[in-house]
C-alpha cells in the first residue's frame, strides 16, 4: 500500500515514510492510494475476536510494509488491560434499543486521544527502524490540555524517543495541569509557557521551521517530530474501533450481519468522523454520518452549504476539545470525495489560508450531503442533554459526548430515522467533572469544592468508578516547575536535551 499527498498525486511513499514524515513536504496530508475491501463474512468473523485481533485485521491492510511481528508488537504494547482497565479496550454501552455509546475513553488519560496516541509511538519507532533512521526522535507538543497528556502517556519510556510538552501557564484546568506536571517517565519533559495556547503553539511552530536550530539538533543526534492529528499514524488506529463496535453489536445480537447503522461523532478536527467514513469505504455497513459540533459550528455550516468559512467568532465552550475553527482532516475527506483531485484541494487550501474560506463544487457537495448530516448545540443544550441522559437512561456522559447525543436527538426528531446508532463517547465524565455536576445539579452544588472532592461527588451520583489515573493525582508531587517566556522555548528544548 502506497500513500499519496492530497496536494500532489505524484508524491508516493510507503506507510513507514508517511508516519515518519507526518506531513508531506508541500503541505499535503498522506492518504492511502486505495481502500482495502472487507467482506461481510470477514466482518462477521470479527465478532468472536479480541480487540487486538480486530486491530491487527484492520491495520495490516494499511501498514503493508510492517512485518506481522512488528505490527503485532505495536498493538500488544498499546492496547492492554493494564492501560485500559478492560479487555474490551473500547466497549459499547447500550442506552436503549436504538442508541449505543462507543466508549473511547478507557485509556490512561480518560479521553479518546489515547486510542491513537497509545499506538502512535510504536508505529513511529518501528517506522524509524524500517527507514534506517538513526537519530533520536524528539516529539514537541503544544497543548491546550488533552493532547499533551495523552502524548506524554503514549511516549513515556518508549526507547528512541523523547517528548517535550509546552502548555499555556494560565490556559489549562487544574486537573489537566496536575496530570502533566506529575508525569513520570525517563524521557519526558514539561514546561509552562507564559501566555495562551496560541503563544505556545506559535513557539513550537517556530522551532519546527528554524533550520539553523534543527541542524544544531541534528548534529547532536536528534530529529524533531510531531504527534498531532494530521499524522496517518494517528488516524488509522481510529478506523479499528468502528469495526470493533459493529462486531460487538453482532456478538450481542443487536444487529444482523449486513444491517446498516448510523454513526454520530462529536467533531473538532474531523479526524474521528473521517475514520468512520474510511471504515465505510472498506465495507462496514454505515448509512449516515452525523457530524456534531458545539457553538464553533463551522462544520455544520459547511455540510449544509458547501461553504467553509473560518472567519467567524471563536467561542470558548464547555466542550473545549471541539473548540476548533480549522478542521485539518477535512482536507483528506474532500480529496476523497473529489476523486483524488489534488489541484482542486491545493486550490481550496490556499483559499483557506489567504481569505479564510472556500466553496466546494456542487457535485461534491451533493455526494457529501447524501452521506453526511450535521448540526450543533450550545452549552445550555449540552447541559440539558447531560441531565436528560442521566434521568432517562441512568447514564452519565461528558460534555463532548453530550453534544453528540443532543445533535442525535435533533436528527431523529427532524428525520424520524430510527436506524440503530453508535454515538462516539469521547471523554470520561470525570475529566469534565465540574460541568457535568453542574448539569446534574446546579452551580451551588460545586461551589468551593476542589477537583478531588468533585471526583468523589460524581462517583456518588453516577455510581461509576473514579478513574485511578485521576484519583491518584492527589498524592503525586509535581516534578516539572519550569515556566518560560514564549521567546525562550528553543532554549528550554536545548536545556532538556543538554545541547548547546
Ligand atoms: C479531540 C476530541 C474531540 C474531537 O475529535 P476530532 O477527531 O478532532 O474531530 C472530541 N472529543 C474529545 C473529548 C476530544 O478530546
Amino acid at each position: 500500500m502506497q500513500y499519496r499527498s492530497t496536494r500532489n498525486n505524484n508524491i508516493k511513499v510507503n506507510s513507514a515514510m508517511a508516519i515518519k514524515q507526518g506531513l508531506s513536504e508541500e503541505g499535503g496530508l498522506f492518504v492511502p492510494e486505495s481502500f482495502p475491501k472487507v467482506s461481510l463474512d470477514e466482518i462477521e468473523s470479527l465478532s468472536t475476536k479480541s480487540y487486538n485481533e480486530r486491530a491487527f485485521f484492520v491495520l495490516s491492510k494499511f501498514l503493508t510494509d510492517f512485518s506481522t511481528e512488528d505490527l503485532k508488537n505495536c498493538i500488544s504494547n498499546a492496547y492492554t488491560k493494564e492501560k485500559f482497565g478492560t479487555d474490551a479496550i473500547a466497549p459499547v454501552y447500550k442506552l436503549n434499543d436504538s442508541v449505543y455509546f462507543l466508549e473511547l475513553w478507557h485509556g490512561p488519560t480518560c479521553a479518546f486521544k489515547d486510542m491513537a496516541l497509545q499506538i502512535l509511538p510504536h508505529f513511529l519507532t518501528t517506522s524509524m527502524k524500517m527507514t534506517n533512521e538513526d537519530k533520536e526522535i524528539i516529539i514537541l507538543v503544544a497543548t491546550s490540555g488533552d493532547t499533551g497528556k495523552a502524548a506524554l502517556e503514549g511516549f513515556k519510556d518508549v526507547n528512541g524517543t523523547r517528548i517535550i510538552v509546552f502548555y499555556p501557564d494560565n490556559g489549562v484546568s487544574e486537573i489537566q495541569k496536575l496530570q502533566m506536571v506529575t508525569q513520570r517517565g525517563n524521557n519526558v519533559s514539561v514546561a509552562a509557557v507564559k501566555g495562551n495556547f496560541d503563544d505556545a503553539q506559535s513557539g513550537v511552530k517556530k522551532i519546527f521551521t528554524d533550520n539553523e536550530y534543527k541542524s544544531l539538533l541534528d548534529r547532536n543526534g536528534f530529529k524533531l517530530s510531531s504527534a498531532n492529528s494530521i499524522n496517518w499514524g494517528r488516524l488509522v488506529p481510529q478506523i479499528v474501533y468502528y469495526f470493533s463496535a459493529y462486531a460487538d453489536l453482532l456478538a450481542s445480537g443487536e444487529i444482523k450481519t449486513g444491517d446498516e447503522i448510523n454513526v454520530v461523532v462529536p467533531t473538532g478536527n474531523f479526524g474521528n468522523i473521517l475514520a468512520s467514513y474510511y471504515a465505510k469505504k472498506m465495507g462496514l455497513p454505515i448509512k449516515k454520518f452525523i457530524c456534531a459540533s458545539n457553538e464553533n459550528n463551522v462544520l455544520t455550516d459547511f455540510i449544509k452549504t458547501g461553504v467553509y468559512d473560518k472567519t467567524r467568532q471563536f467561542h470558548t465552550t464547555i466542550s473545549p476539545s471541539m473548540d476548533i475553527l480549522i478542521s485539518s482532516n477535512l482536507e483528506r475527506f474532500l480529496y476523497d470525495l473529489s476523486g483524488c483531485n489534488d489541484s482542486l484541494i491545493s486550490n481550496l487550501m490556499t483559499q483557506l489560508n489567504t481569505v479564510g474560506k472556500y466553496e466546494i463544487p456542487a457535485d461534491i457537495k451533493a455526494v457529501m450531503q447524501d452521506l453526511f448530516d450535521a448540526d450543533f448545540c450550545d452549552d445550555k443544550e449540552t447541559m440539558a442533554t447531560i441531565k436528560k441522559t442521566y434521568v432517562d437512561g441512568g447514564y452519565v456522559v461528558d460534555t463532548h459526548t453530550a453534544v453528540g447525543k443532543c445533535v442525535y436527538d435533533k436528527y431523529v426528531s427532524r428525520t424520524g430515522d430510527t436506524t440503530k446508532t453508535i454515538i462516539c463517547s469521547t471523554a470520561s465524565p470525570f475529566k469534565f467533572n465540574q460541568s457535568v455536576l453542574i448539569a446534574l445539579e446546579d452551580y451551588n452544588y460545586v461551589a468551593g469544592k476542589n477537583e478531588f472532592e468533585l471526583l468523589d461527588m460524581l462517583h456518588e451520583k453516577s455510581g461509576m468508578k473514579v478513574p485511578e489515573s485521576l484519583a491518584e493525582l492527589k498524592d503525586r508531587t509535581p516534578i516539572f516547575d519550569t515556566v518560560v517566556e514564549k521567546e525562550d522555548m528553543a532554549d528550554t528544548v536545548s536545556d532538556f536535551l543538554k545541547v548547546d
Side-chain angles (χ1 to χ4, degrees), residues 110-113 146-147 229 234 238 265-273 299 321-322 324 329 398 400-401 426-427 432:
C110 307
F112 102 98
K113 302 283 191 292
D146 280 350
T147 303
S229 76
R234 265 191 71 175
Q238 300 187 250
V265 186
T267 304
N269 238 328
F270 210 77
N272 200 2
I273 197 164
L299 284 168
S321 303
M322 295 158 64
I324 288 176
N329 271 301
D398 94 293
H400 303 78
T401 309
T426 52
F432 299 92

Side-chain angles (χ1 to χ4, degrees), residues 378-395:
D378 63 20
D379 281 354
K380 223 172 126 210
E381 293 173 297
T382 306
M383 288 279 200
T385 304
I386 293 172
K387 175 102 184 187
K388 184 174 180 308
T389 310
Y390 177 67
V391 171
D392 294 354
Y395 186 65

Side-chain angles (χ1 to χ4, degrees), residues 42-54:
E42 285 175 300
I43 293 173
E44 184 167 274
S45 74
L46 292 178
S47 65
T48 56
K49 298 216 160 89
S50 69
Y51 190 85
N52 286 11
E53 289 169 321
R54 293 168 183 173

Side-chain angles (χ1 to χ4, degrees), residues 242 263 265 267 270-278 289-292 372:
Y242 291 102
V263 167
V265 186
T267 304
F270 210 77
N272 200 2
I273 197 164
L274 179 70
S276 69
Y277 173 73
Y278 284 166
F289 303 90
I290 299 161
C291 178
F372 277 65

Side-chain angles (χ1 to χ4, degrees), residues 141-143 165-169 172 177 180-181 190-193 200 480 482:
V141 183
T143 184
V165 171
F166 291 101
Y167 68 91
D169 199 11
V172 300
K177 180 175 170 178
M180 290 187 278
V181 299
V190 177
V193 179
F480 299 100
T482 312

Side-chain angles (χ1 to χ4, degrees), residues 16-190:
M17 277 305 286
I19 289 168
K20 184 170 108 173
Q21 260 182 265
L23 196 67
S24 183
E25 55 214 6
E26 80 308 346
L29 308 187
F30 289 116
V31 285
E33 63 176 352
S34 64
F35 281 85
K37 293 285 179 273
V38 172
S39 71
L40 287 178
D41 281 348
E42 285 175 300
I43 293 173
E44 184 167 274
S45 74
L46 292 178
S47 65
T48 56
K49 298 216 160 89
S50 69
Y51 190 85
N52 286 11
E53 289 169 321
R54 293 168 183 173
F56 182 78
F57 173 79
V58 173
L59 296 173
S60 62
K61 296 188 181 301
F62 288 103
L63 309 185
T64 49
D65 46 332
F66 280 48
S67 74
T68 298
E69 193 197 347
D70 278 345
L71 186 54
K72 286 195 166 159
N73 279 335
C74 290
I75 294 167
S76 61
N77 280 316
Y79 303 123
T80 62
K81 183 171 181 183
E82 192 198 4
K83 287 178 174 162
F84 284 78
T86 158
D87 282 322
I89 305 296
V92 172
Y93 177 90
K94 178 177 181 176
L95 186 73
N96 57 46
D97 282 336
S98 44
V99 179
Y100 306 82
F101 286 103
L102 171 55
E103 297 180 344
L104 301 172
W105 42 259
H106 290 271
T109 75
C110 307
F112 102 98
K113 302 283 191 292
D114 288 330
M115 296 305 299
L117 279 165
Q118 280 296 314
I119 200 164
L120 176 71
H122 303 293
F123 284 165
L124 196 56
T125 49
T126 307
S127 300
M128 299 293 284
K129 197 177 70 188
M130 287 164 64
T131 55
N132 296 316
E133 180 66 61
D134 52 5
K135 302 264 179 331
E136 198 175 0
I137 287 277
I138 309 301
I139 302 290
L140 278 192
V141 183
T143 184
S144 57
D146 280 350
T147 303
K149 177 61 185 180
L152 284 165
E153 276 297 319
F155 279 93
K156 77 167 183 209
D157 297 331
V158 173
N159 284 334
T161 72
R162 298 205 210 175
I163 173 163
I164 303 172
V165 171
F166 291 101
Y167 68 91
D169 199 11
N170 288 314
V172 300
S173 78
E174 204 45 41
I175 211 148
Q176 286 174 322
K177 180 175 170 178
L178 266 176
Q179 278 188 310
M180 290 187 278
V181 299
T182 60
Q183 178 67 44
R184 293 174 192 170
N186 60 28
N187 61 340
V188 305
S189 306
V190 177

